Amino acid sequence: MSGASRHGLLAELRERIDRVGRPEAGLGRVHALDGGGPLDRALPGGALPRAALHEVVAAAPTQAGAAAGFAASLLGRIAAGEEAGAVLWIAALEGEVGLPYPPGLAVFGLDPTRLLLLRVGAAEDALWAAEEAARSRALAAVLVETRRLDPLAGRRLQLAAEAGACAILALVVPRRAGEGAGHRAGFSLFEVSGLPGADFRVSAWRVAFSCRGGPGALWPRIEWCHATHRFGVAAELRDRSDRARTAAAGA
Amino acid sequence: MWLPSFATDRIERERRPPAPEPRATLLAIGNRRLLAAVNAVAAREGLRPGLALADARALVPELVVAPATPDEDARALARLAAWCGRFSPWTAPEGEDGLFLDITGCAHLFGGEAALRADLLARLGALGFAARAAIAATPGAAWALARQGDGGDIARQGDGGDIARQGGGEGDLAGLPVTALRLPDALAADLIRLGLATVGAVEAVPRPALVRRFGPLLVRRLDQIFGRLDEPIAPLAPVAPLRVRQAFAEPIAAPEQIAAVARDLIETLCARLAAEEKGLRRLALVFFRVDGTRLEASVATARPLRDSRRLTRLIGERLATLDPGFGIDLALAEARRAEPLGAAQPALLCSTTAASDDALADLVDRLAVRCGPDAVLRLGPRESHVPERAVGRIAPLAAAPAFPPGPTRPLRLFARPEPVSALGDGPDTAPEALTWRQTLLRLRRAEGPERIAPEWWRDAEGAPARDYWRVEDEAGRRFWLYREAPGRWFLQGVFA
């Protein structure tokens, strides 16, 4: 059996096992991040499952703004796959980075008229609200800001996302650099730090990605264009991520 | 209702002495110390308010005194008026030692007017308040009869007071002394000096003469006591348009009993609302403890609701925090705010089906109960260029208008712009570095300025125009800065 067909068979079997364990996961819709580009190819099955927890972790406390931008663009992609439904943003870091400002969200592909904000003071209230919201089946997606997501809280959010068939994004801004990405409780984890951009109409990040049932990836530079609302991975880096993937598959 | 020794009863109630003792409160006027109020025991010994303390001590050596605290008395009286909400929603404190209850339409719940009064006096007596109550067709007549009626000795149990004959009872009223007219002491004394000692005698004098000699107050009081002038009782809190009640022979205290009572009351209330085609926007449950404390739990909903199961679940979390003490003997469910709930439903936030409408409204309500009524926030566009005024709160479930296209705005905004110290800024250039929250940021890129002038009609004192800049530091962090005046820089937002 050649390496490529064995990889395909394994991926298919993994997907079937996933569906056995979590009936909702098989039914949940998926969302193309960059239309079959390197981001999508790093995901098992080529897309992000909807009924799951996705963590966006700031690489350092100073990266809170950059991580919020990446999370907003991810939230925008997920909500855009839904023709209707509100998006709940649970703001728990108002003191550090301010409150999400609706006129500034449109450039990340997030429709501000669909946005509901919840201001909370206590971390446990934020996590409780995220669970309630995901289980309510009333929303297209939920984003919850938090200082840390311990394995138990992460597991609870993952179960709530599966039960309510609703995507939960956890925006984790740790108190110290590198603290938030130690353990992945949900389906996927993006560790994000901002990069200087070519101009103010492009946002750029360095992203370390890991997910369930996939090899993960490190993208030194992902860009988001404010005009086209699309992710892009620089050409020379696309090759490297493909090489990493083939190597992992062949191993 | 008259509480002749309210100020001293209130103190005695808190101290719980083993045996009745003569008690008074003191008021210092200049260097004289006068009795302000006396209790029943002291009154029997011949003490009266206004007596000097030295004289009182000579009469009753064992007299217990405490300083008079009119503010606290007023607050306690207001609390007692709220407690009287168990008899009628229209209750109000009157003066320093009285309460008005409008029991129109309430008496049948207690088995008639006499039974209501007996119940009221018995409960007050158990709480330690000496009281006299009279029921009459007008507040003025009730005031007069409670204080002047021939109820005999002031009683702690329910034998004090009068019920005036239905339809006015003018015969009884005419015989009362003029002090029953709620007049200032000086005016009443003048009338008595002129030989007008009874209400009937004053009533017989031609009215123009009365107004000329004594002013408009006397005639107004006469009209009020005989019902020629309406005198509505203004309750302390707005009266709920709809309420249901349940009294218990045995006080309840167990949480599951309270929850069951709440469920029953809410079901009854919802049935009444359904008949009126209304839904609840604000629901309150009021519980009366046997010790005279009033407990309240209330919830607000994002849109009219009369699903008793949902309302019970919403208010359930609030009920758990109530302390039933030694038990609760009466519960009320009040529809504080009700709105029409019919076929026409408001347009909801991007929903597709009625089921998801309900789920969203339900979620918003539950989040508000746990996180606070203002925590759930929806922001819509406002007509302003000033960033913090360009968005405003809209109803959580309303259909939102779109934001107009405009210049680039930050991803996140601080509620208050934070002052920063800037280095190397010129009149038309952004700074080269700035210190924000004790950190030095070296800037490598800047775009601007975008001038935003405040609305001149909003800020009378003339707030300065702001020059906004987008800046990026060496690490790629992006901020929104503005300069208000040379050298005065603020950081207002964060870009990604």
Side-chain angles (χ1 to χ4, degrees), chain A residues 30-78:
Chain A
V30 291
H31 310 274
L33 291 184
D34 58 350
L39 296 186
D40 281 345
R41 271 182 278 138
L43 298 167
L48 215 53
R50 176 168 148 72
L53 166 69
H54 307 286
E55 297 170 53
V56 177
V57 179
T62 52
Q63 298 297 336
F70 187 79
S73 52
L74 219 50
L75 193 63
R77 297 301 309 171
I78 293 171

Side-chain angles (χ1 to χ4, degrees), chain B residues 79-163:
Chain B
R79 279 200 298 276
L80 198 62
W83 174 85
C84 287
R86 61 184 295 143
F87 297 101
S88 158
W90 298 276
T91 68
E94 197 283 320
E96 293 167 0
D97 54 3
L99 292 172
F100 276 142
L101 275 68
D102 185 346
I103 57 164
T104 313
C106 304
H108 69 279
L109 294 169
F110 301 87
E113 291 177 347
L116 187 152
R117 195 189 58 170
D119 187 31
L120 169 63
L121 291 174
R123 285 181 190 279
L124 281 173
L127 293 177
F129 292 110
R132 288 178 50 159
I135 297 173
T138 66
W143 191 96
L145 291 170
R147 281 164 178 75
Q148 307 289 346
D150 48 3
D153 234 6
I154 294 168
R156 282 205 172 250
Q157 293 292 333
D159 58 347
D162 293 278
I163 299 182

Side-chain angles (χ1 to χ4, degrees), chain A residues 158-217:
Chain A
Q158 169 69 27
L159 290 174
E162 287 172 17
C166 173
I168 301 182
L169 256 72
L171 171 58
V172 184
V173 179
R175 287 186 199 282
R176 273 195 292 277
E179 246 180 17
H183 179 272
R184 173 169 51 76
F187 176 84
S188 64
L189 188 150
F190 302 81
E191 190 180 7
V192 177
S193 50
L195 297 173
D199 67 46
F200 284 98
R201 276 145 216 94
V202 171
S203 300
W205 306 275
R206 175 187 187 277
V207 178
F209 172 71
S210 72
C211 74
R212 188 192 296 165

Side-chain angles (χ1 to χ4, degrees), chain B residues 300-331:
Chain B
T301 62
R303 60 180 192 150
L305 192 64
R306 64 163 181 258
D307 178 338
S308 62
R309 203 172 43 83
R310 261 193 213 152
L311 287 166
T312 308
R313 196 153 50 108
L314 261 185
I315 209 162
E317 198 162 329
R318 289 285 155 82
L319 292 181
T321 64
L322 296 181
D323 171 19
F326 293 110
I328 287 164
D329 62 354
L330 178 76

Side-chain angles (χ1 to χ4, degrees), chain B residues 39-304:
Chain B
N39 69 352
V41 183
R44 268 199 296 278
E45 302 283 346
L47 301 189
R48 291 284 174 268
L51 209 62
L53 176 62
D55 300 342
R57 276 268 155 78
L59 284 169
V60 187
E62 70 273 23
L63 180 69
V64 182
V65 294
T69 48
D71 291 347
E72 266 178 51
D73 289 345
R75 277 196 294 275
L77 193 62
R79 279 200 298 276
L80 198 62
W83 174 85
C84 287
R86 61 184 295 143
F87 297 101
S88 158
W90 298 276
T91 68
E94 197 283 320
E96 293 167 0
D97 54 3
L99 292 172
F100 276 142
L101 275 68
D102 185 346
I103 57 164
T104 313
C106 304
H108 69 279
L109 294 169
F110 301 87
E113 291 177 347
L116 187 152
R117 195 189 58 170
D119 187 31
L120 169 63
L121 291 174
R123 285 181 190 279
L124 281 173
L127 293 177
F129 292 110
R132 288 178 50 159
I135 297 173
T138 66
W143 191 96
L145 291 170
R147 281 164 178 75
Q148 307 289 346
D150 48 3
D153 234 6
I154 294 168
R156 282 205 172 250
Q157 293 292 333
D159 58 347
D162 293 278
I163 299 182
R165 273 200 309 277
Q166 292 294 324
E170 292 193 13
D172 293 345
L173 296 172
L176 291 173
V178 284
T179 48
L181 278 174
R182 277 188 289 165
L183 297 172
D185 287 346
L187 183 50
D190 280 353
L191 289 168
I192 291 166
R193 215 175 44 243
L194 292 173
L196 300 171
T198 64
V199 175
V202 181
E203 175 76 356
V205 177
R207 297 167 61 86
L210 280 181
V211 177
R212 239 187 353 261
R213 174 69 181 80
F214 300 103
L217 180 68
L218 178 60
V219 178
R220 190 164 77 236
R221 290 287 188 235
L222 274 178
D223 287 346
Q224 283 173 344
I225 201 169
F226 290 112
R228 292 186 296 252
L229 192 63
D230 196 28
E231 185 184 4
I233 289 165
L236 291 174
V239 173
L242 197 58
R243 54 190 230 156
V244 295
R245 66 196 296 284
Q246 190 175 351
F248 315 107
E250 279 294 312
I252 59 163
E256 55 271 26
Q257 281 177 311
I258 294 174
V261 165
R263 196 182 57 232
D264 291 351
L265 283 173
I266 291 170
E267 267 171 22
T268 317
L269 194 63
C270 286
R272 300 253 308 261
L273 286 165
E276 296 186 16
E277 292 191 348
K278 280 183 173 170
L280 282 175
R281 287 296 307 278
R282 191 166 193 88
L283 164 73
L285 289 179
V286 185
F287 297 97
F288 293 89
R289 275 180 12 183
V290 286
D291 62 358
T293 314
R294 184 175 176 279
L295 307 172
E296 191 177 305
S298 70
V299 288
T301 62
R303 60 180 192 150

Side-chain angles (χ1 to χ4, degrees), chain B residues 369-383:
Chain B
V369 166
R370 165 112 178 209
C371 303
D374 293 331
V376 186
L377 196 63
R378 203 112 179 278
L379 298 173
R382 287 270 170 88
E383 292 226 351

